[in-house]
Amino acid sequence: MTPDELREVALSLGMPAFTGKQMAQWLYQRHVRSIDEMTNLSKANRERLALEYCVGAMEPIDCQRSVDGTIKYLFPARCFPVGRDSVATNSTRFVETVFIPDGERATLCVSSQVGCKMNCLFCQTGKQGFEGNLTAGDILNQIYALPEAERLTNIVFMGQGEPMDNLDAVLRATEILTAPWGWGWSPKRITVSSVGIPRKLERFLKESECHLAISLHSPLHEQRAQLMPAEKAMPAKEVIALLAAQDFTHQRRISFEYIMFGGLNDSRQHAQAVVDLLQPLDKAIGGKWDSQLRVNLIRFHQIPDVDLPAADEHRMEQFRDYLCQHGITTTIRASRGQDIYAACGLLTTDKKKALAEGRKAGNGKS
């Protein structure tokens, strides 16, 4: 809730209006886990508040730890708002959150949906189908209830789901993270990814100052459509045109995520096609690739039942060097958490299977 909404809560329960501001401070600056910790509210007001509301923080129910320090957490998910005096969850719905430490930098990859509608070929989450949008509270809970929350320097909305497909909740979550009355983060510490949903993307660019990452993965229309069915309705060429029409006088960074598959999208011809595809953006920003635009090349890690080969290191370096030589700032993203399969969707899939098998075994006994 925003301070204005918390103020309305206070007034509805017969409390002074300023109690809403006090609650916001306890929630977003002191990160309390219970209403009883809000000690500058009278005991009577805390009791009255606790009858109707709860903080709503839910601890992770499982985790996997990598030898490189990466930790994948599994959180319960409500998907849709439940009664305001309840924290009941559907035990078959979960989301993954990945904590990635790197020296002084610590990034958290958060989810925005349970499952995903986009059904990208290379993504395990897409194989689960779509189960629901996370509430803003469930998005924030991945940060709020994270054991390492105080260490975070960056947040990326690159976990399960398509953020633009749940834009209202994503915008509310990022507002609370960046507002002076909230967590007070700079928008430059937050990156939101998307396959590119034009109307939602345009709204995001107008209403948020957070960085943007576009999932590209191929510059060729037919091939991208095979990898990402969303290309059929949302062609990358149209997404680039929309971005090129935006005001680039501010400091928002736009990046393009490009998973490299061996013998599929890693050729010199693909690199040339990326340069051609991004040409309108080059003109729009006046060649300021270093500060505002970049391409991130990503190694592919195998997921079950998907026959896609990973590109070798030499091909990735050649691809990177070609783009850099043509003025496009390009990096190869370091792989993290390989031993725990840190790519989204695998832990939730395993958890759902285990629950289904447990229910089946229970039914068999009865």
Side-chain angles (χ1 to χ4, degrees):
M1 291 184 174
T2 65
D4 286 343
E5 290 168 337
L6 291 168
R7 178 179 180 273
E8 291 303 314
V9 167
L11 292 173
S12 72
L13 296 177
M15 303 177 189
F18 66 78
T19 307
K21 181 178 180 181
Q22 291 175 317
M23 286 190 283
Q25 290 173 336
W26 284 112
L27 290 169
Y28 302 128
Q29 295 172 17
R30 301 192 183 185
H31 305 159
V32 298
R33 299 298 182 92
S34 70
I35 289 170
D36 198 50
E37 295 177 70
M38 300 180 181
T39 51
N40 62 352
L41 276 63
S42 71
K43 183 177 180 181
N45 281 343
R46 278 180 277 154
E47 290 175 349
R48 190 177 300 126
L49 189 60
L51 287 174
E52 297 277 346
Y53 295 89
C54 66
V55 170
M58 298 182 294
E59 300 292 333
I61 60 172
D62 198 1
C63 74
Q64 294 177 337
R65 298 177 182 272
S66 169
V67 293
D68 65 17
T70 299
I71 308 173
K72 179 191 282 191
Y73 287 102
L74 191 69
F75 283 97
R78 284 167 288 211
C79 289
F80 303 102
V82 297
R84 59 188 182 183
D85 60 345
S86 169
V87 290
T89 63
N90 182 330
S91 61
T92 63
R93 288 176 175 162
F94 309 97
V95 290
E96 297 172 21
T97 307
V98 183
F99 173 71
I100 310 167
D102 185 13
E104 296 183 358
R105 182 184 177 97
T107 300
L108 189 69
C109 181
V110 302
S111 297
S112 57
Q113 295 179 311
V114 177
C116 185
K117 298 176 185 176
M118 300 301 121
N119 196 27
C120 296
L121 178 62
F122 47 82
C123 178
Q124 184 65 31
T125 301
K127 309 292 181 287
Q128 298 175 359
F130 176 69
E131 294 189 55
N133 288 323
L134 292 183
T135 65
D138 274 330
I139 292 173
L140 289 170
N141 184 66
Q142 297 168 70
I143 307 158
Y144 202 95
L146 186 82
E148 297 82 9
E150 298 305 318
R151 294 176 55 189
L152 295 178
T153 60
N154 299 83
I155 293 172
V156 294
F157 283 73
M158 296 182 182
Q160 293 172 277
E162 164 56 48
M164 299 298 160
D165 197 34
N166 188 19
L167 186 56
D168 286 339
V170 168
L171 286 175
R172 175 170 284 246
T174 54
E175 176 192 6
I176 290 170
L177 288 168
T178 58
W181 50 261
W183 287 53
W185 277 34
S186 165
K188 296 179 178 63
R189 296 171 64 181
I190 302 171
T191 300
V192 179
S193 70
S194 178
V195 299
I197 303 177
R199 284 181 295 179
K200 300 289 185 71
L201 193 56
E202 194 167 11
R203 182 184 161 200
F204 171 80
L205 292 170
K206 290 178 180 178
E207 298 183 26
S208 173
E209 295 182 1
C210 295
H211 292 325
L212 173 68
I214 297 296
S215 298
L216 183 58
H217 310 309
S218 176
L220 308 180
H221 173 71
E222 291 185 2
Q223 186 179 67
R224 188 170 187 257
Q226 291 175 345
L227 294 170
M228 306 169 62
E231 167 72 10
K232 298 171 185 175
M234 299 167 265
K237 188 175 182 178
E238 293 182 12
V239 173
I240 300 302
L242 184 153
L243 294 174
Q246 303 304 307
D247 179 10
F248 278 91
T249 57
H250 52 72
Q251 293 301 308
R252 184 200 310 274
R253 186 179 69 239
I254 298 177
S255 58
F256 294 88
E257 309 297 294
Y258 196 102
I259 297 176
M260 298 202 69
F261 306 104
L264 186 67
N265 66 348
D266 60 346
S267 70
R268 172 64 64 88
Q269 289 71 28
H270 283 88
Q272 291 172 339
V274 169
V275 173
D276 293 341
L277 179 67
L278 300 183
Q279 189 65 31
L281 277 174
D282 187 37
K283 294 179 180 178
I285 64 169
K288 299 177 183 177
W289 277 96
D290 285 344
S291 60
Q292 290 185 267
L293 295 172
R294 69 185 58 185
V295 172
N296 293 320
L297 304 181
I298 303 169
R299 296 172 179 85
F300 176 64
H301 300 297
Q302 200 69 38
I303 62 173
D305 304 318
V306 173
D307 187 21
L308 287 171
D312 65 46
E313 196 70 18
H314 182 60
R315 296 281 278 189
M316 293 187 73
E317 291 172 354
Q318 286 183 319
F319 202 97
R320 176 201 61 196
D321 294 345
Y322 183 90
L323 295 185
C324 288
Q325 289 164 8
H326 286 77
I328 299 176
T329 301
T330 306
T331 60
I332 298 175
R333 184 181 294 167
S335 294
R336 300 297 302 274
Q338 294 185 54
D339 55 318
I340 60 169
Y341 301 101
C344 285
L346 295 172
L347 184 54
T348 48
T349 297
D350 289 346
K351 189 69 174 180
K352 290 178 70 175
K353 285 181 179 178
L355 285 170
E357 290 171 0
R359 285 194 298 268
K360 186 176 180 180
N363 290 336
K365 290 178 181 179
S366 64

